[in-house]
Amino acid sequence: MAVFQQPPFNLLTILGPTASGKTRLAVALAGEMNGEIISADSRQVFRGMDIGSGKDLHEYGAIPCHLIDILDAGEEFSVFAFQRLFIEAFESITARGRLPLLCGGTGMYLDAALRGYRLVEVPEDPALRTELGTRSDAELAAMLRELRPEQHNSTDLADRQRTIRAIEIARHEQNRPTETEPFPPVRPLVIGIRWERSELRRRITERLRQRLDNGMIEEVQGLHNQGITWERLSYYGLEYRFVGAFLRGELTRNDLFQKLNSAIHDFAKRQETWFRRMEKNGVTIHWVDGAGDPLAEARRIVGERREW
């Protein structure tokens, strides 16, 4: 009697730091493997935030993509919401007999999809928010670090409302341990793109120049003209924060480029730190050389796994 064997993987994941070429590799593999792409990016979900979030929509061609342009700019999005939508997309793609490819660099989102734990939505706590509203930014940062000694997501510390929400979530998790909920049978194969640090810095710098020349400043101004406050735009990350400061007259054009470029380089280092932490937590990442032939290397890795 033949024994049924499940395929060795049912989710292919492409990750890497910003400007590493993740989308291009994911699209190429999706085209060869009857795949559809699920974006793991905290900002590409928003319509109208194209250049600042690095959507690179032109690279997708005819490949279906999910979790891009699903919300209006100005709305909020969370890791909980991402995980729920990821599971829906994963199950839908799989049911059609196609291969889901998860592609992105937002560490928390990748973790939420790959590590097999179900997140629970944390309700707002008005009493706690009132109490925290009287605290200084420094006090809030200290509280969050005490609740989460491993805190590494500096974005939560760059915006007061994000810090308060992070404390709210940490308090909830501490006081009400959540029961494990069922998670889809995800069997991931994870491929990461790696570059020499100097070459990645060059790519980041060149990409930033292109984005500034191709309308990123005008995109941010347009979003503000639509009624999105500078504070809310700052919440969406580095590009929107620094371009907003430039548009308010707080930075010169040269300062905008230099400061934003440096901040993105630092962000890429934090992404790489997160990927190393993922590996320590049991996620096997098969690294390919971005400067070589990452598609050929990825094909080899996929082929080896399919032979298991």
Side-chain angles (χ1 to χ4, degrees), residues 100-161:
L101 283 88
L102 182 67
C103 176
T106 301
M108 288 187 294
Y109 287 24
L110 292 165
D111 263 350
L114 296 175
R115 293 181 59 196
Y117 59 86
R118 198 75 179 254
L119 297 172
V120 176
E121 190 167 22
V122 177
E124 293 183 2
D125 185 337
L128 177 62
R129 290 191 173 199
T130 299
E131 174 195 339
L132 296 177
T134 64
R135 304 296 186 96
S136 68
D137 291 353
E139 288 175 316
L140 292 174
M143 290 177 67
L144 180 57
R145 289 195 174 97
E146 182 176 351
L147 287 164
R148 288 182 172 165
E150 77 286 0
Q151 174 72 23
H152 53 273
N153 180 17
S154 62
T155 304
D156 281 342
L157 298 172
D159 178 89
R160 182 177 177 84
Q161 294 307 312

Side-chain angles (χ1 to χ4, degrees), residues 232-291:
R232 169 56 63 181
L233 286 168
S234 179
Y235 174 87
Y236 290 134
L238 298 173
E239 291 83 357
Y240 297 94
R241 185 177 309 139
F242 281 90
V243 172
F246 166 74
L247 290 170
R248 294 192 302 272
E250 298 170 8
L251 296 174
T252 65
R253 174 65 182 251
N254 183 64
D255 285 342
L256 165 63
F257 178 80
Q258 297 298 335
K259 291 179 181 295
L260 179 53
N261 192 40
S262 177
I264 297 174
H265 290 162
D266 290 342
F267 172 68
K269 291 179 187 176
R270 293 196 299 273
Q271 286 180 298
E272 291 171 336
T273 298
W274 187 296
F275 300 148
R276 288 194 294 271
R277 183 178 289 111
M278 289 173 64
E279 291 180 299
K280 290 179 182 177
N281 288 334
V283 176
T284 299
I285 303 177
H286 302 268
W287 293 100
V288 300
D289 182 7

Side-chain angles (χ1 to χ4, degrees), residues 14-285:
I14 306 298
L15 59 77
T18 186
S20 60
K22 299 181 293 292
T23 301
R24 184 171 302 169
L25 178 59
V27 167
L29 290 169
E32 296 180 2
M33 302 177 66
N34 191 32
E36 300 184 18
I37 294 174
I38 305 173
S39 171
D41 188 283
S42 59
R43 303 178 302 172
Q44 293 185 5
V45 295
F46 298 108
R47 288 182 284 268
M49 297 174 62
D50 301 334
I51 303 172
S53 69
K55 283 179 187 167
D56 298 327
L57 292 174
H58 63 281
E59 293 192 358
Y60 286 91
I63 301 298
C65 54
H66 303 261
L67 275 59
I68 291 178
D69 289 346
I70 59 173
L71 295 174
D72 289 331
E75 296 186 64
E76 291 192 15
F77 193 60
S78 66
V79 182
F80 171 82
F82 165 79
Q83 187 184 68
R84 175 174 54 81
L85 292 172
F86 162 78
I87 291 171
E88 290 178 5
F90 172 83
E91 292 179 337
S92 174
I93 296 167
T94 302
R96 293 196 300 277
R98 296 171 69 88
L99 176 68
L101 283 88
L102 182 67
C103 176
T106 301
M108 288 187 294
Y109 287 24
L110 292 165
D111 263 350
L114 296 175
R115 293 181 59 196
Y117 59 86
R118 198 75 179 254
L119 297 172
V120 176
E121 190 167 22
V122 177
E124 293 183 2
D125 185 337
L128 177 62
R129 290 191 173 199
T130 299
E131 174 195 339
L132 296 177
T134 64
R135 304 296 186 96
S136 68
D137 291 353
E139 288 175 316
L140 292 174
M143 290 177 67
L144 180 57
R145 289 195 174 97
E146 182 176 351
L147 287 164
R148 288 182 172 165
E150 77 286 0
Q151 174 72 23
H152 53 273
N153 180 17
S154 62
T155 304
D156 281 342
L157 298 172
D159 178 89
R160 182 177 177 84
Q161 294 307 312
R162 285 186 85 131
T163 307
I164 290 174
R165 178 58 177 163
I167 292 171
E168 191 173 52
I169 292 171
R171 283 273 188 92
H172 184 276
E173 292 172 344
Q174 189 178 68
N175 297 331
R176 298 179 181 83
T178 56
E179 296 181 3
T180 302
E181 296 186 34
F183 198 85
V186 174
R187 299 184 302 280
L189 171 59
V190 184
I191 296 175
I193 304 179
R194 177 175 281 157
W195 291 85
E196 289 292 335
R197 177 63 54 80
S198 60
E199 178 60 15
L200 182 62
R201 289 177 64 88
R202 187 198 66 77
R203 288 172 61 88
I204 289 171
T205 299
E206 179 57 29
R207 190 185 195 206
L208 177 57
R209 284 199 181 96
Q210 292 174 356
R211 291 159 86 182
L212 287 170
D213 290 342
N214 292 334
M216 186 163 72
I217 293 173
E218 291 78 6
E219 175 176 281
V220 178
Q221 182 66 67
L223 291 167
H224 182 63
N225 292 345
Q226 293 172 26
I228 303 174
T229 65
W230 294 123
E231 182 180 20
R232 169 56 63 181
L233 286 168
S234 179
Y235 174 87
Y236 290 134
L238 298 173
E239 291 83 357
Y240 297 94
R241 185 177 309 139
F242 281 90
V243 172
F246 166 74
L247 290 170
R248 294 192 302 272
E250 298 170 8
L251 296 174
T252 65
R253 174 65 182 251
N254 183 64
D255 285 342
L256 165 63
F257 178 80
Q258 297 298 335
K259 291 179 181 295
L260 179 53
N261 192 40
S262 177
I264 297 174
H265 290 162
D266 290 342
F267 172 68
K269 291 179 187 176
R270 293 196 299 273
Q271 286 180 298
E272 291 171 336
T273 298
W274 187 296
F275 300 148
R276 288 194 294 271
R277 183 178 289 111
M278 289 173 64
E279 291 180 299
K280 290 179 182 177
N281 288 334
V283 176
T284 299
I285 303 177

